[in-house]
Amino acid sequence: MQELRVNRQIRAREVRLIDENGQNLGIVPLEEALRIAEEKNLDLVEVSPNAKPPVCKIMDYGKYKFEQKKKEREAKKKQKAKMQNVKEIKFRIKIEDHDYQTKVRHIREFIEEGDKVKVWIWFRGRENVHPELGEKLANRIIEDVSDIAKVEKPPKKEGRNMLFTLVPKG
């Protein structure tokens, strides 16, 4: 948030004055504008310093700053809500059924929270020469979560790993 010039910080001789209700009072000398603001127990704030002459508004500057910070916080909150986290889950080719069910349940939880899930299928030793087993496992995982997730990046073997990404549907 940029700092605005207030009251005696304003340097111009004449200003275009806007009152607290948004009414344009025309071009007035700075001293008169300051006097009007003081009479109303408000601040004279330079809202458009680059205009000829600068535009000044009569307002409660403390309240204005508070409102601006509040808007910034709301914007940050909305931006944070849109961000997706990427969770990672690793599988092995020789995975027992109970472990598989647990990991698929975790994938479901992450997807329901709105996160992306990067799934790694890890090959060890001689498992590396059987990529079809990894594809079979990947297809099984995709099928088991297909009701709530869709594949963003299809399964692809990279070195000792096969990886793919799942994202929430809709």
Side-chain angles (χ1 to χ4, degrees):
M1 186 176 101
Q2 73 186 39
E3 283 297 314
L4 301 171
R5 291 191 199 128
V6 183
N7 298 331
R8 299 273 174 215
Q9 296 173 344
I10 300 170
R11 299 276 173 245
R13 285 192 206 122
E14 290 185 325
V15 296
R16 181 173 302 279
L17 187 62
I18 314 255
D19 71 1
E20 68 276 13
N21 300 320
Q23 293 290 316
N24 186 349
L25 302 180
I27 297 172
V28 296
L30 179 63
E31 291 303 317
E32 186 181 333
L34 286 168
R35 186 186 52 74
I36 293 170
E38 272 181 34
E39 285 175 2
K40 296 182 179 185
N41 285 331
L42 295 171
D43 299 304
L44 183 66
V45 181
E46 189 178 46
V47 290
S48 182
N50 298 330
K52 296 281 188 246
V55 178
C56 293
K57 189 170 184 180
I58 297 173
M59 66 171 82
D60 182 346
Y61 187 61
K63 184 177 178 183
Y64 171 77
K65 276 178 57 174
F66 173 76
E67 293 293 331
Q68 292 299 90
K69 284 185 180 174
K70 192 173 173 183
K71 283 180 188 175
E72 282 180 18
R73 279 196 306 270
E74 288 298 317
K76 249 185 193 174
K77 206 182 277 186
K78 286 180 183 174
Q79 186 178 15
K80 210 171 194 179
K82 287 182 181 179
M83 280 181 28
Q84 274 188 335
N85 291 329
V86 178
K87 305 287 186 174
E88 293 185 359
I89 294 202
K90 295 182 180 178
F91 285 83
R92 289 269 320 278
I93 292 291
K94 298 178 182 172
I95 187 167
E96 293 297 321
D97 195 49
H98 181 265
D99 295 337
Y100 172 83
Q101 295 300 331
T102 302
K103 289 186 180 205
V104 167
R105 189 171 64 246
H106 285 297
I107 291 173
R108 285 182 159 285
E109 289 170 9
F110 295 147
I111 294 289
E112 286 167 359
E113 290 171 10
D115 296 328
K116 285 184 178 184
V117 180
K118 191 177 206 178
V119 180
W120 294 75
I121 299 173
W122 187 39
F123 294 89
R124 278 176 51 183
R126 292 201 167 178
E127 295 171 352
N128 234 345
V129 294
H130 297 290
E132 69 277 359
L133 295 175
E135 284 182 24
K136 188 176 173 184
L137 179 60
N139 290 334
R140 182 176 168 203
I141 295 166
I142 292 167
E143 182 65 37
D144 286 349
V145 295
S146 64
D147 58 321
I148 61 168
K150 62 183 178 190
V151 178
E152 183 183 59
K153 260 175 51 182
K156 182 178 176 189
K157 188 149 176 12
E158 295 178 6
R160 299 180 139 220
N161 303 310
M162 178 177 285
L163 41 116
F164 59 98
T165 308
L166 298 169
V167 292
K169 275 187 176 175

